Amino acid sequence: QVQVTELGGGLVQAGGSLRLPCAASGRYTMGWFRLAPGLEREIVAAMSRIVGSTDHGDSVKGRITISRDNAENTLYLQMNSLKSEDTAVYYCAARARGGLRSAYSTPSDYDYWGQGTQVTVSS
């Protein structure tokens, strides 16, 4: 089956930056989500497989950059100017269905998920 693995995560000071790579066992449409205490899972960023179109959550717009290394099947999430509100478990996901020209922003659009990585932003 498809394997999705997140790397990175950890403790970072407010205002700092963090880069999270996500490796998949194939080439898929992929995305990053996060789950904070008391909140529902929300989109962070996503990228289509073919066109390269992206989707970003409003809470992180302007503070993140998403890129993809197609040769290595790796998605990179670069987060800057981190805030305490960014503290959450971050999940990488892969979509093994059609719609390769679109980026998807809801959890139900994805089929395979990584185990998640904790990101904690301290003051």
Side-chain angles (χ1 to χ4, degrees):
Q1 62 178 7
V2 176
Q3 294 180 334
V4 183
T5 305
E6 306 99 337
L7 298 177
L11 178 64
V12 62
Q13 294 184 352
S17 299
L18 198 62
R19 186 171 187 255
L20 305 179
C22 172
S25 59
R27 184 171 295 182
Y28 307 97
T29 297
M30 300 174 68
W32 277 99
F33 294 81
R34 69 183 184 184
L35 181 63
L39 300 177
E40 296 182 350
R41 187 170 300 190
E42 65 174 350
I43 182 69
V44 178
M47 178 175 286
S48 65
R49 173 179 168 179
I50 297 178
V51 177
S53 61
T54 58
D55 188 25
H56 302 83
D58 292 337
S59 63
V60 297
K61 187 176 182 179
R63 299 190 294 115
I64 66 156
T65 301
I66 190 170
S67 61
R68 181 169 187 152
D69 184 343
N70 288 323
E72 299 294 332
N73 298 322
T74 302
L75 185 71
Y76 297 92
L77 179 67
Q78 177 71 43
M79 303 184 66
N80 304 312
S81 301
L82 288 167
K83 307 174 182 178
S84 60
E85 306 94 277
D86 296 319
T87 296
V89 177
Y90 285 70
Y91 296 90
C92 184
R95 175 181 169 90
R97 284 173 274 171
L100 303 182
R101 294 177 173 82
S102 301
Y104 297 86
S105 58
T106 60
S108 61
D109 290 323
Y110 293 85
D111 305 295
Y112 301 96
W113 295 78
Q115 64 182 9
T117 184
Q118 176 70 47
V119 172
T120 301
V121 182
S122 63
S123 300

